[in-house]
Amino acid sequence: MSTNASLVDPRTLRVRTYVTPIDRINANKKMHHIAQRAQRPNAENFRFTTEESERFLRIIEGSLQIKRHYELYLWLQGELQHFLPHQVLISAWGDFASWDLKLDVISQLPGVRTERLAECRIDDFLKGLFYQWVEGGRRPLVMRSSDALAQIGDCECSMHSAMRSLNSVLVHGVRDERGGYDSLYVAMHSRSFTNGHPKDRCCHLVDLLISQIDVAFRKVAAYPFDDVMIEKLGAEWSELSRREQEILAWIAKGKANAEIGAALGISPYTVKNHLRRIFRKLGVRSRFEAATRYNDVTRQSLDILSR
């Protein structure tokens, strides 16, 4: 007796459909594919024009030619601005779990340079954006700067002042599953990144570009700020933890323990304990000596890096 796909029950004359295991697997795969497509922008709605396709290919070709930091700067200010207009681009990469990161800032704006991070850190700003990006499934984020910049406080340095003058923030990154590290990129602009287009289109373009941006940044060495600081401050600087470096920078601004604790989310007593270790490592006896030494070395380092 042959087996048919449809069997007839003579008692009810109802047709029962026989579904094979292979049919069920294929149906599940189809539903999974539909669900995946529903979670990401529809690429078919954002087809490149011929001119955009040619421009995108030139961007890719240009990223492969980068060897120096200045070439990276020129590449970012070139045709890439058509797809991702920005006035500030911050790159952070490394182990975000332990906050062992390297930072780079590229911008045409006066005073917005990587070396300025010696005076004013942006760690809390980046932490907030990183965790939002992860919680969002590591998809591109577009937000108002007022929502993103709440963590930088009232500092009036050139870096923070310029960042507060911008209105839009775009965040995306690359996850290295083999190494277990992330690279995060934060673009900022005075205008909206969508520029009147659908937000999904902006996110789709950034998703296409992020791998090329990551390749370009990986082709140049990290800015040598830490090496200069170690050379000027001595081996003691390398012994300071990231948190101790943060606290030392706040002390150099004349902040009290309570103010530092509020800014870093720790108690004044914890700040005091950190200060004791900082004094011991740097061989100083007071916060005034520590701040004076830090400011002197920072000015010398900035002079060297700006040549």
Side-chain angles (χ1 to χ4, degrees), residues 222-266:
Y223 217 83
F225 173 73
D226 288 341
D227 294 339
V228 175
M229 291 297 284
I230 291 173
E231 177 185 350
K232 292 296 178 181
L233 265 175
E236 302 94 334
W237 176 260
S238 63
E239 296 179 3
L240 296 178
S241 68
R242 176 71 70 177
R243 177 62 85 189
E244 289 166 349
Q245 293 177 28
E246 287 180 321
I247 291 175
L248 182 56
W250 282 110
I251 290 297
K253 298 177 188 176
K255 300 297 183 180
N257 290 359
E259 294 176 296
I260 298 172
L264 300 180
I266 57 180

Side-chain angles (χ1 to χ4, degrees), residues 12 24 27 29 51 68 73 84 95 97 135 152 179 199-200 203 205 209-210 233 242 247 262 269 284 287-288 301:
T12 61
R24 187 174 292 108
K29 285 183 177 179
E51 179 183 352
R68 298 182 300 159
Y73 168 80
L84 178 57
D95 185 359
E135 290 173 2
I152 69 171
K199 183 177 178 180
D200 282 352
C203 292
L205 292 175
L209 283 171
I210 193 64
L233 265 175
R242 176 71 70 177
I247 291 175
Y269 180 77
V284 299
R287 62 199 299 136
F288 176 78
S301 301

Side-chain angles (χ1 to χ4, degrees), residues 69 88-91 103-107 112-114 117 159:
H69 201 274
V88 175
L89 184 62
I90 302 170
S91 171
L103 303 179
D104 204 347
V105 180
I106 295 182
S107 174
V112 184
R113 302 291 183 269
T114 304
L117 296 178
M159 173 76 76

